[in-house]
Amino acid sequence: MPFPRSPVRPRAVPFARDLAAHGDRVALHTPAGEVTYRALAERVAATAVRLGPVRRLVLLAGANRAGALVTHLAALSAGHPVLLVPGDSDHAVASLTAAYAPDVVARPDADGAWTLDERHPGTAHTLHPDLALLLSTSGSTGAPKLVRLSHENVQANAESIAAYLGITHTDRAATTLPMHYCYGLSVIHSHLLRGAGLLLTERSVADDAFWTEFRAARATSLAGVPYTFDLLDRIGFDRMELPHLRRVTQAGGRLAPERVARYAELGHRSGWDLFAMYGQTEATARMAYLPPHLAATRPEAVGIPIPGGSFRLDPLRDDGSGVGDAGEVGDADHGPDVGELVYSGPNVMLGYAESPADLSLGRTITELHTGDLARRASDGLYEIVGRRSRFAKIRGLRIDPQRVEAALERHGVRAYCTGDGDELAITATGTTADEPRLRRLAAESCGIPPRAVRLRALPETELPRLSTGKPDYAAVRHLTRPTTPASRTATESATALAHPADRGRTRGDVRPTDDLRALYAEILDRTDVTEDSTFVGLGGDSLGYVEMSLRLEQALGTLPPDWHTRPIRDLRPPTPSTSASAEQQRAPSPGRTRRTLETGIALRAIGIVLVVGSHIQLFTLQGAAHILIGVAGHNFARFHLTDAEHRRRVRHLWRSIARIAVPSAAWITGAVVVTGLYDPANALLLNSLVDQGPERHEWHYWFIEALLYFLIALAVLMAFPLLDRVERRRTFGVPLALLAIGLLGRYDLPDLAPARFHLGPTVVFWLFALGWAAARASTAWQRGLLTATLLLATPGLFPPDQHLRTALVITGMTLLIWVPTLPSLGPLNRLAGLLAGSSLYIYLTHFQVYPYLQHDFPVLALLASLAVGIGYAAVATRGMRAVRWL
């Protein structure tokens, strides 16, 4: 019986068309069972028929699932160009659908089955006959610029990779990387070419279940990017028994040479080979590999060209632009053997596409200028030494230094700008007094914080230039790097303070408070810091408090509880004295003092993890959000009820309200529009007032609504000078009175509680007031009174069967009342600081993240929710700094 075949076209990808030739070998290992090549070919042929006889542009939401793979292979086998996008990114799907108007959109339905949404009866495009695949370049998923790959590109690269890896039909590879990523796709293509098996999985290598699947499938190949190897280190990969593993491949970025060597030695002991590889999407996937027998001795090299490919080195121009991300020195330091790496081979793309009109183009390039600076060593191996492109990656953003130069020129300033690590280095015309203004102008022109800009002002005649008269960017990096105590960055200053043994060698006559002033200026983005400044006086609030407290503790060793209200001059670190007693000299130095963590920060960090984890149902430990209400009251007292004059107090409070409300409303509005799960009242943060009913999703943002209601009401009250004066005189009595009023709402005596009783603002206000009072309590009897109130009022707040929830709230609030700090460790402090500082944004965003992962990958759902919230915190903070009134 003949095997079903897709319609044969002159230009199709051969391995996708010839799947049936591998017969009854197992092609796919899936959660639903095994799929043979014969069965896979039948499904591919049937899907090809559904795509129709006319060549059409197919947008495919990629995923490591059988449905997505079948659709991909059907299109390749029948000659339909595939636009492959991340299936887990609705934004990418929507933006590329809008940009390219695909004829067919293939994505999963609610049941997980891939559906074909036909947008046009035939095709709306003129498609070049060679066009087979469209991929986003690295880091640009969702952007309209795409790489155009031909059928020959896809086939040739799969053949080349299969050849140098030695893939046979007995191999089985796990899909550890996304299908839409060229490296992950190359794993699929090269194994299908040889009739090998694929373990289709969407699990992380950090999951125990992944390794259960890996062993059950007798998998032989594992692919990873540098982050994958970070995970492997954490889970003890070097101790795993994997008897069928033959090869481990690495690409997707530079892996440190020492790690390449270590994994090569591990593979040698364990019976598998390590292939470190180098590639770009523009070359379909791969351009070079390091033969495994050289990995231990030449780990710094990218190796030799893949079969069928070749390299050449283009000489550098004398324009100073040859060094980028990896560069530490100027072009002259590279020597004459360094040039731009240029690749040729059958896998070089046709060219780029930036609009649907470009889909009709044929080949526009014949070789690939990689943008990497390289040398060819005497043993024939190529080594990457830098980047030719002047684009810099600063704080996760791709910055064009030329645009920064142009922005400063518009202000009449000549400047030379380049990237240096995670900072922007600039020399500009001006005087030392101009530097703060120029730094801010440069930062605003590209959307990064001023502390990420190193700027040195010089006379016009002293700007660094090459002998040709062109800018000397290597000199710019050198001139802006801190070399004296007076010019060190705040980070370096804090480090010096943390190690007193270094102070005598480097500090000279610079006072310790100068370093602290620099640190305050960095964190708070202020240029008016003096020795008399305080954290709260400079506008610091709970959003910046976490980072500042951890950095200060690193610098000083210990912090007084009221450091945020003390002038900088009073935070001067202890200076070793030659007359100190032997007992004093034996005391731990500030850099070695045992670390502690403020209880409020710890509660914010642990609380947000408990909130997200409980919503995912990874575990059930509810009540953390109510603790965070108490922490918010505690922070309100500390950061807003300061000694500042009345108007400044109120203005600071309204600014903080805006910094919560604006990013919250923006995100929730997006959720209302995109998901359709929420009422517009949610976007306006009014759900608690209009009481939408008991539906769970309508109450997702009760915490943010309650917090804003409390702050707005208090801002209005504090606007009255009389009430402001009363609070200053009765610092404990005022929150105690509000606690008593809050208890009326706790028991709903005014009959204002909503359908979801324990989420109503009037019901939970007493916790906010309790946290406020805890911050003002100064005696044991005051704390005892608050504790007794907590023990009496918390039971009954939640449904009768939620005793653990009640206990958790009592425990957390008791710690807040009685324990100012907890013992900790440096790394734990940094992790807690990151989570606590982003806790509001994690809470805000996690409802739109975890539902996609919670059932199959609950741990990944938790990590993704935390990561998205941290990312949104960075974006929101940058955006709010750009708006000066925030």
Side-chain angles (χ1 to χ4, degrees):
M1 176 180 175
F3 300 123
R5 299 270 304 264
S6 301
V8 177
R9 297 183 181 279
R11 292 183 176 92
V13 178
F15 76 77
R17 187 183 56 204
D18 299 333
L19 296 170
H22 301 296
D24 290 326
R25 293 176 186 157
V26 175
L28 309 178
H29 298 261
T30 74
E34 295 179 345
V35 179
T36 67
Y37 272 91
R38 184 189 305 273
L40 178 61
E42 292 173 350
R43 293 176 62 180
V44 167
T47 303
V49 170
R50 292 180 58 198
L51 290 173
V54 178
R55 290 185 76 225
R56 311 166 84 184
L57 179 62
V58 179
L59 185 145
L60 171 61
N64 293 336
R65 302 182 195 173
L69 181 57
V70 166
T71 305
H72 174 67
L73 294 172
L76 293 184
S77 68
H80 300 287
V82 179
L83 199 173
L84 195 53
V85 302
D88 58 354
S89 172
D90 290 338
H91 169 71
V93 173
S95 62
L96 286 170
T97 298
Y100 282 90
D103 303 311
V104 179
V105 174
R107 62 186 310 178
D109 59 19
D111 298 324
W114 253 254
T115 61
L116 302 182
D117 178 12
E118 301 190 45
R119 302 295 183 92
H120 308 120
T123 180
H125 304 283
T126 300
L127 303 171
H128 193 276
D130 290 339
L131 182 63
L133 185 61
L134 295 159
L135 295 177
S136 295
T137 57
S138 299
S140 63
T141 54
K145 185 175 181 180
L146 302 173
V147 171
R148 296 183 292 115
L149 301 173
S150 69
H151 307 95
E152 181 190 12
N153 292 155
V154 175
Q155 181 75 16
N157 204 234
E159 290 176 349
S160 180
I161 293 171
Y164 74 74
L165 290 181
I167 298 173
T168 71
H169 70 274
T170 61
D171 278 302
R172 295 182 179 91
T175 56
T176 49
L177 301 166
M179 179 184 179
H180 68 267
Y181 173 37
C182 69
Y183 180 15
L185 192 62
S186 73
V187 172
I188 293 172
H189 288 173
S190 57
H191 282 76
L192 292 177
L193 174 83
R194 291 293 176 84
L198 290 172
L199 167 58
L200 279 184
T201 179
E202 294 185 302
R203 297 187 188 277
S204 165
V205 297
D207 294 344
D208 290 340
F210 169 84
W211 296 105
T212 301
E213 293 178 351
F214 193 88
R215 294 185 180 94
R218 302 165 71 90
T220 63
S221 184
L222 183 71
V225 296
Y227 179 64
T228 309
F229 288 82
D230 293 340
L231 296 177
L232 294 178
D233 286 344
R234 296 176 197 170
I235 64 175
F237 176 74
D238 57 344
R239 299 186 299 275
M240 287 187 178
E241 293 293 333
L242 302 169
H244 302 288
L245 184 60
R246 297 178 189 170
R247 69 183 67 83
V248 174
T249 63
Q250 181 271 320
R254 180 177 181 271
L255 191 65
E258 59 272 16
R259 298 185 74 190
V260 173
R262 176 161 60 85
Y263 270 90
E265 292 291 350
L266 174 61
H268 180 72
R269 295 194 308 268
S270 304
W272 48 263
D273 291 325
L274 174 69
F275 287 82
M277 308 181 297
Y278 163 73
Q280 292 181 358
T281 310
E282 289 85 346
T284 310
R286 211 63 57 233
M287 293 183 288
Y289 73 100
L290 184 61
H293 68 279
L294 298 175
T297 57
R298 293 286 276 114
E300 68 279 9
V302 296
I304 59 176
I306 64 173
S310 63
F311 286 130
R312 67 178 175 83
L313 296 174
D314 260 8
L316 297 176
R317 299 186 303 274
D318 186 23
D319 62 359
S321 63
V323 178
D325 297 339
E328 290 281 314
V329 292
D331 293 339
D333 297 308
H334 286 309
D337 59 333
V338 171
E340 182 184 8
L341 193 63
V342 181
Y343 176 79
S344 298
N347 53 318
V348 172
M349 66 175 179
L350 298 173
Y352 291 110
E354 298 189 60
S355 70
D358 295 334
L359 304 183
S360 64
L361 299 177
R363 180 168 294 280
T364 58
I365 67 169
T366 57
E367 58 183 8
L368 179 62
H369 288 258
T370 65
D372 289 321
L373 300 180
R375 67 165 65 93
R376 187 174 185 269
S378 58
D379 57 4
L381 301 181
Y382 285 85
E383 301 171 355
I384 304 297
V385 298
R387 282 288 295 171
R388 186 174 197 86
S389 171
R390 290 188 56 215
F391 279 93
K393 201 69 168 291
I394 310 295
R395 304 294 173 99
L397 297 176
R398 194 167 183 256
I399 304 300
D400 183 355
Q402 289 181 322
R403 296 189 67 176
V404 178
E405 293 174 355
L408 290 175
E409 189 170 7
R410 288 194 292 271
H411 290 274
V413 177
R414 173 69 61 84
Y416 299 153
C417 176
T418 187
D420 190 20
D422 202 34
E423 294 177 313
L424 208 58
I426 303 173
T427 56
T429 55
T431 65
T432 302
D434 297 322
E435 288 182 359
R437 179 180 68 89
L438 296 178
R439 186 178 296 109
R440 185 176 297 279
L441 287 173
E444 291 175 349
S445 72
C446 54
I448 61 176
R451 62 176 178 269
V453 176
R454 297 200 317 262
L455 186 142
R456 184 171 179 183
L458 298 168
E460 169 73 23
T461 56
E462 294 183 22
L463 289 179
R465 297 178 177 88
L466 298 169
S467 58
T468 60
K470 296 181 178 180
D472 185 348
Y473 290 105
V476 171
R477 284 187 287 271
H478 176 74
L479 285 170
T480 56
R481 286 174 184 162
T483 56
T484 66
S487 63
R488 285 180 303 175
T489 66
T491 301
E492 292 169 316
S493 299
T495 302
L497 282 170
H499 300 280
D502 294 337
R503 287 204 293 264
R505 293 197 298 269
T506 61
R507 289 182 56 82
D509 296 328
V510 178
R511 294 172 297 176
T513 49
D514 289 338
D515 294 308
L516 296 185
R517 287 169 58 191
L519 184 58
Y520 272 58
E522 176 190 353
I523 301 298
L524 296 175
D525 196 17
R526 297 287 292 257
T527 59
D528 55 346
V529 182
T530 69
E531 287 192 351
D532 295 316
S533 298
T534 66
F535 176 78
V536 293
L538 291 169
D541 57 18
S542 59
L543 297 177
Y545 174 81
V546 175
E547 183 180 5
M548 178 65 83
S549 65
L550 295 179
R551 295 278 292 278
L552 278 177
E553 186 187 40
Q554 180 185 6
L556 303 177
T558 57
L559 282 177
D562 60 345
W563 70 265
H564 56 292
T565 60
R566 287 195 184 191
I568 293 175
R569 66 170 70 252
D570 292 344
L571 298 177
R572 184 181 294 109
T575 303
S577 170
T578 55
S579 62
S581 67
E583 182 67 22
Q584 290 172 319
Q585 292 177 9
R586 286 195 299 270
S589 67
R592 296 191 296 271
T593 301
R594 190 176 69 175
R595 291 293 180 88
T596 60
L597 181 65
E598 281 195 20
T599 301
I601 296 176
L603 290 175
R604 286 170 66 183
I606 296 171
I608 195 59
V609 173
L610 294 182
V611 167
V612 177
S614 295
H615 287 167
I616 294 171
Q617 297 180 350
L618 183 62
F619 44 73
T620 304
L621 285 171
Q622 296 176 297
H626 288 76
I627 296 175
L628 294 180
I629 287 287
V631 174
H634 195 265
N635 289 337
F636 172 79
R638 300 181 71 194
F639 303 126
H640 297 294
L641 302 182
T642 65
D643 292 330
E645 57 92 19
H646 177 233
R647 288 187 178 180
R648 190 171 183 181
R649 241 192 189 192
V650 175
R651 186 167 60 249
H652 184 201
L653 181 53
W654 281 112
R655 185 181 296 118
S656 294
I657 291 170
R659 293 178 69 186
I660 296 172
V662 171
S664 297
W667 181 273
I668 299 171
T669 299
V672 171
V673 173
V674 173
T675 67
L677 294 177
Y678 304 94
D679 190 271
N682 288 99
L684 299 174
L685 300 171
L686 297 175
N687 180 71
S688 298
L689 294 183
V690 299
D691 191 6
Q692 296 292 308
E695 288 80 12
R696 186 172 187 272
H697 60 267
E698 295 288 352
W699 283 92
H700 279 173
Y701 296 105
W702 72 270
F703 175 88
I704 294 173
E705 292 184 3
L707 179 58
L708 284 172
Y709 296 167
F710 301 158
L711 294 178
I712 291 171
L714 290 168
V716 171
L717 291 175
M718 291 299 170
F720 292 94
L722 176 61
L723 296 179
D724 179 80
R725 289 194 295 273
V726 171
E727 190 283 326
R728 292 175 191 267
R729 289 196 298 268
R730 300 286 187 265
T731 56
F732 182 75
V734 167
L736 192 64
L738 291 174
L739 174 59
I741 296 172
L743 289 174
L744 299 177
R746 152 69 184 91
Y747 293 100
D748 197 28
L749 296 183
D751 196 24
L752 297 174
R756 293 179 68 85
F757 176 86
H758 58 284
L759 306 184
T762 57
V763 177
V764 300
F765 174 72
W766 72 279
L767 287 168
F768 183 94
L770 186 71
W772 176 356
R776 296 308 200 195
S778 58
T779 64
W781 79 264
Q782 290 175 339
R783 297 188 181 95
L785 176 62
L786 297 179
T787 305
T789 304
L790 176 69
L791 293 173
L792 292 172
T794 307
L797 177 62
F798 307 111
D801 58 340
Q802 296 186 0
H803 303 298
L804 182 59
R805 193 174 193 176
T806 299
L808 185 67
V809 172
I810 291 174
T811 301
M813 293 300 295
T814 300
L815 287 173
L816 190 66
I817 294 169
W818 289 97
V819 184
T821 61
L822 299 169
S824 185
L825 300 170
L828 193 60
N829 278 11
R830 289 189 289 274
L831 176 61
L834 182 64
L835 292 173
S838 306
S839 57
L840 176 72
Y841 303 95
I842 293 171
Y843 183 93
L844 181 67
T845 60
H846 80 283
F847 295 108
Q848 283 72 55
V849 178
Y850 75 80
Y852 298 98
L853 299 167
Q854 71 175 125
H855 297 300
D856 296 326
F857 313 102
V859 174
L860 183 58
L862 174 62
L863 297 177
S865 297
L866 299 179
V868 169
I870 291 169
Y872 189 62
V875 172
T877 301
R878 183 176 293 123
M880 288 184 291
R881 281 178 174 167
V883 182
R884 302 314 308 164
W885 61 275
L886 293 183

